Amino acid sequence: MSPLGRSPLIPGSFELRGMRRLGMAEKRKRRAAAVVAERCQVALNSLSSDEYYKRNGLGAHDTRFDNKDSSFASDMRDRIFGESLTYVRERGPTGRKPLAAGTLPGNFSSSSSSSSTPGPPVASGGIADLFQGYGRTRGGEEALKLSAANVDLPEQAGTADLAALLTPGMSRLISDERLFALPKRERPVSLPRAATLVESADQYVCFVRRLFELGMVVFRRSVEVVNGCFGVSKGEGEKLRFIANLKPANACFPPPPELKLSGPDLLGALEADAEKELFCWKYDIRAAFHRFKTPSWMWKYFALRKVPAKEFGLGKGFVFPCLTTLPMGFSWAPFLCQEAHGEVVASTGLPRGDLLLPENDVKVDRLRYGLYIDDGYGFSTSLEEANRAFFNICEDLAEAGLSVKETKCVRPSKADLTVLGLEVKARRGRVGPAAKDLKELIGATEEMLARGCASGLEMSRIVGKWSWVMLLSRFGFSIFSSVYTFMQKVGESGGDLWPSVRKELGIVCGVAPLLCVSFFQKWSDKVAAFDASKEAQGVSEVLAPLGWAAGKRNFLRMTPSVEEQGRKLEKLGESVRALSWTHVVSSRFRHDRHINLLEAAACLTSVRRAAKDERAGLRCVVLGDSTAVISAVAKGRCSSFPLLVAVRRIMALCLASGVRPLFLWIASENNPADAPSRPSQVFVCE
């Protein structure tokens, strides 16, 4: 019996066949791939086990696997081995001692931690105290002390007029203090304090002098607020990135609008034709924030700690250096940079409907482009079209005073390309974690597991990097639960890793080979719907008209009103009712559970049928009327741990089989699976 229960998701073992005719190098890769595949198998089986239900006396979970279809299990093992072999060929070993087959880093089945040594503090020398509780940035980086020599500043600054590059409406808004800043009566009575982290007072003066020589500051005797500053690491051996601690200034402005970015989630959702060539490109605006000159009225809000006036030939007393360029640390900075960037790109003639955003489609049937603050990338099936767009954008950015960084600029081609830290393989239509980054991330996670302890900051860095990768496919988000609680509980002091934390970190390392997605993955014409009552579950299926499923990818686009959203849902309901559905599952539950868990059981049944039907691992549409379950499986996680356990089984199945469901909510009256889920109407189904 499996240590994970009588019904593992993936039974059996990986057997290497046909090795006799292979060369020694290929044999070594396949043997390594078999070890990686077995670790992946253990991780997926653990993720989908009944451990939680057994531990709480709830009996076997209603979503357990029956394993009657040995060919389906074999197909999943073949897929896992294929992905593991690709993983080994592209990334190679981690450089650490290989783990025994069937195990994961940290021995996550163990009930005890491997170390009693507490983790290190966030920073030495009382930096956290100096920073008044803000010992890290929003992104989790440690706040470091600046000096004149260790900070990276642009060669040119303030070369682009921010207001001139925005839309007329946004330009008017930021140009008028009365419209943009909060009235004084709406500001906090006591503004937050912000520390200045510098090596010494002399170094601070030298640092300000560098800013002044670049035209990044002006000096004023009186200002609205006084802010701080610090540095964050840009990478080993590199200078620090200058960050303005604008907590006081940010309190004087309203929250910025929602930031719409072409992030990894949209990159992973792209749909392309495998029969056509795919060309991709990217660019990066050099020192983007520092390039933007802000309206002069803002400068009094961007003041840093005062410096002696005589140091700058300004007489006696002290003066405040006020930042004149868009500060990194200003709450509106990412939004304004994104908006200005988008306006420049739009001036080249590229339609806004072709920008990768949640409200737009994701098909590469024309030139598609993405913008992520200061980064830009694009895809096209035409090299001529891609070249024209790429060079037009670069020229217009230069004319606007926003030159691109040549070292991070890649012309259109079919070659592999790293975009937003993710590796795009145009020829194969795949996108996944960059080889070097994933290798380092797994190594860092394994080192933490071997040490057996960590601080909250260390854990946040690890989890943050894994989360970025999981944005490609949200299935992986279901893995993490205890790590979030651990970060909150241990804080900066650190502590031993809990057994549950070790388990989650081990699982994420195990499933790493499956975190890639394909642009070429097609849509299935079979659509499924599920429902559950307290007594029974029901699943209905239909072969929809060609293109029906693919057309639902963006039916829930962002809309300007609730009424418009309601009209779209009603339209979906009408479309669903018009199809000729077949009831394929109608069965009673053996256990009395919360309705959300029963709905999740029905959801798993529908996904398992889809995975078994679509052995090639297609995209498919799965409909349900449970808000809680649809929301949880669409996001990959939820706050309710019992429901999360059920979601993990669904996500594990998706990762193992390669099927990519699009989960959509429909009203109960439109759900075709409502009838077979009623105990009075238990159907005889196939």
Side-chain angles (χ1 to χ4, degrees):
M1 184 180 76
S2 167
L4 301 170
R6 296 182 180 276
S7 53
L9 170 61
I10 312 167
S13 59
F14 295 89
E15 299 179 5
L16 296 175
R17 298 187 178 94
M19 296 275 285
R20 187 171 296 178
R21 297 182 179 181
L22 300 177
M24 290 301 298
E26 182 64 19
K27 287 181 180 178
R28 284 195 295 269
K29 290 177 181 178
R30 289 179 176 266
R31 292 190 185 103
V35 174
V36 172
E38 290 191 26
R39 291 172 61 181
C40 187
Q41 179 187 27
V42 173
L44 291 172
N45 284 343
S46 179
L47 194 63
S48 61
S49 72
D50 285 331
E51 180 183 347
Y52 169 79
Y53 291 91
K54 293 176 181 178
R55 190 168 64 246
N56 290 276
L58 298 174
H61 192 19
D62 285 293
T63 59
R64 72 180 184 271
F65 303 106
D66 54 25
N67 298 320
K68 293 179 180 178
D69 190 348
S70 60
S71 65
F72 179 46
S74 179
D75 287 343
M76 288 193 291
R77 287 196 300 271
D78 289 344
R79 163 176 155 75
I80 291 171
F81 181 80
E83 294 293 333
S84 299
L85 184 58
T86 300
Y87 173 88
V88 169
R89 286 172 172 168
E90 292 179 353
R91 294 163 176 84
T94 62
R96 290 164 177 80
K97 184 179 179 180
L99 296 165
T103 66
L104 287 177
N107 186 23
F108 63 65
S109 60
S110 172
S111 61
S112 62
S113 176
S114 65
S115 173
S116 61
T117 305
V122 172
S124 61
I127 286 182
D129 294 335
L130 288 173
F131 205 45
Q132 299 161 11
Y134 300 99
R136 70 197 71 172
T137 68
R138 188 172 296 178
E141 302 98 337
E142 181 181 339
L144 302 173
K145 295 181 179 181
L146 294 170
S147 71
N150 72 359
V151 64
D152 184 31
L153 295 175
E155 297 178 357
Q156 291 180 305
T159 55
D161 185 347
L162 176 61
L165 296 179
L166 296 170
T167 61
M170 185 58 64
S171 179
R172 285 193 299 272
L173 179 66
I174 73 163
S175 298
D176 193 332
E177 181 180 3
R178 295 169 299 178
L179 297 176
F180 195 55
L182 289 172
K184 291 190 177 183
R185 64 179 181 275
E186 297 181 15
R187 301 176 190 176
V189 177
S190 178
L191 294 177
R193 297 179 62 190
T196 299
L197 302 186
V198 290
E199 295 287 350
S200 65
D202 290 341
Q203 281 296 316
Y204 179 60
V205 172
C206 294
F207 167 67
V208 171
R209 183 170 286 108
R210 283 194 63 192
L211 295 178
F212 177 69
E213 291 171 351
L214 289 170
M216 293 178 62
V217 297
V218 296
F219 296 102
R220 292 195 171 190
R221 295 282 181 178
S222 63
V223 295
E224 196 73 23
V225 295
V226 180
N227 306 279
C229 62
F230 58 91
V232 297
S233 175
K234 296 181 65 176
E236 188 175 352
E238 296 188 35
K239 294 184 177 182
L240 302 182
R241 179 179 285 110
F242 164 49
I243 307 293
N245 186 356
L246 294 187
K247 286 185 175 292
N250 289 333
C252 301
F253 295 88
E258 180 184 4
L259 187 58
K260 298 180 181 180
L261 302 171
S262 309
D265 53 335
L266 294 171
L267 189 61
L270 284 176
E271 301 172 22
D273 189 348
E275 303 300 321
K276 297 181 179 179
E277 292 183 313
L278 192 63
F279 302 92
C280 51
W281 43 269
K282 72 167 186 177
Y283 62 86
D284 182 354
I285 301 175
R286 188 189 302 272
F289 283 25
H290 299 309
R291 293 280 183 169
F292 290 109
K293 196 82 167 183
T294 55
S296 58
W297 69 264
M298 288 187 183
W299 301 347
K300 61 187 177 186
Y301 290 93
F302 299 156
L304 302 179
R305 298 290 183 186
K306 60 187 179 182
V307 293
K310 64 179 182 181
E311 294 286 347
F312 300 91
L314 298 175
K316 299 180 180 180
F318 294 87
V319 290
F320 295 94
C322 301
L323 296 170
T324 61
T325 59
L326 193 61
M328 297 183 75
F330 182 37
S331 59
W332 280 73
F335 175 83
L336 293 174
C337 183
Q338 178 79 359
E339 289 293 298
H341 186 185
E343 284 298 303
V344 175
V345 173
S347 70
T348 66
L350 292 181
R352 292 189 179 275
D354 295 344
L355 174 61
L356 293 175
L357 289 177
E359 59 262 38
N360 297 334
D361 71 88
V362 289
K363 294 181 179 179
V364 191
D365 54 359
R366 60 198 187 279
L367 186 142
R368 308 306 305 273
Y369 64 100
L371 305 177
Y372 198 94
I373 304 181
D374 58 346
D375 289 298
Y377 61 90
F379 300 88
S380 178
T381 56
S382 167
L383 180 59
E384 181 182 357
E385 182 182 47
N387 278 323
R388 182 168 56 252
F390 173 77
F391 288 107
N392 285 344
I393 291 173
C394 291
E395 289 177 3
D396 281 25
L397 285 172
E399 291 178 5
L402 303 170
S403 60
V404 298
K405 190 181 298 183
E406 294 182 2
T407 56
K408 294 187 177 181
C409 208
V410 180
R411 299 182 178 186
S413 73
K414 295 185 290 184
D416 296 348
L417 181 67
T418 300
V419 177
L420 303 180
L422 303 168
E423 203 164 55
V424 176
K425 298 183 178 296
R427 290 187 175 88
R428 298 176 58 194
R430 286 169 61 91
V431 59
K436 180 177 177 293
D437 293 342
L438 185 60
K439 190 172 181 178
E440 292 178 352
L441 180 55
I442 292 175
T445 307
E446 292 180 356
E447 285 180 355
M448 179 181 290
L449 285 166
R451 191 170 70 240
C453 59
S455 68
L457 177 59
E458 288 178 312
M459 186 63 71
S460 69
R461 288 171 175 167
I462 292 289
V463 172
K465 291 178 179 179
W466 279 116
S467 297
W468 182 258
V469 173
M470 292 170 184
L471 286 173
L472 282 173
S473 175
R474 301 191 69 89
F475 302 149
F477 277 113
S478 64
I479 297 171
F480 291 144
S481 177
S482 294
V483 293
Y484 300 127
T485 308
F486 179 86
M487 286 188 288
Q488 295 174 348
K489 292 286 186 181
V490 304
E492 298 179 355
S493 60
D496 295 342
L497 300 182
W498 306 340
S500 57
V501 172
R502 297 177 64 82
K503 178 177 179 177
E504 291 175 4
L505 294 177
I507 289 174
V508 78
C509 288
V511 303
L514 304 180
L515 297 179
C516 296
V517 297
S518 174
F519 300 152
F520 298 154
Q521 198 169 16
K522 297 182 178 180
W523 284 91
S524 170
D525 290 328
K526 182 178 284 189
V527 180
F530 70 90
D531 200 7
S533 63
K534 291 293 288 184
E535 290 81 18
Q537 65 173 334
V539 177
S540 300
E541 295 175 348
V542 66
L543 285 176
L546 185 66
W548 189 95
K552 299 299 177 288
R553 163 63 181 80
N554 290 92
F555 102 97
L556 282 180
R557 299 175 184 176
M558 294 182 182
T559 54
S561 66
V562 176
E563 291 77 14
E564 178 64 21
Q565 190 73 32
R567 285 192 291 270
K568 286 191 173 186
L569 288 170
E570 181 56 34
K571 187 176 180 180
L572 174 66
E574 294 174 358
S575 176
V576 170
R577 292 196 302 270
L579 300 175
S580 300
W581 294 84
T582 301
H583 305 312
V584 295
V585 174
S586 183
S587 59
R588 297 185 183 275
F589 290 117
R590 291 183 299 255
H591 303 281
D592 183 20
R593 301 269 175 77
H594 191 280
I595 186 61
N596 288 345
L597 300 183
L598 301 178
E599 291 274 10
C603 180
L604 176 60
T605 300
S606 66
V607 174
R608 183 168 176 82
R609 288 186 58 87
K612 293 172 71 173
D613 290 343
E614 309 295 349
R615 299 294 175 87
L618 302 181
R619 309 175 199 237
C620 62
V621 172
V622 177
L623 307 170
D625 59 19
S626 171
T627 304
V629 172
I630 290 295
S631 175
V633 292
K635 293 186 298 184
R637 62 184 310 272
C638 59
S639 57
S640 168
F641 187 72
L643 181 56
L644 177 63
V645 173
V647 170
R648 282 173 169 174
R649 295 181 69 82
I650 300 170
M651 302 292 100
L653 177 59
C654 292
L655 286 170
S657 65
V659 68
R660 292 177 67 186
L662 171 63
F663 298 101
L664 297 178
W665 182 90
I666 55 171
S668 297
E669 60 267 24
N670 298 324
N671 190 352
D674 179 77
S677 71
R678 301 299 171 184
S680 61
Q681 308 179 49
V682 176
F683 292 74
V684 178
C685 303
E686 61 179 50

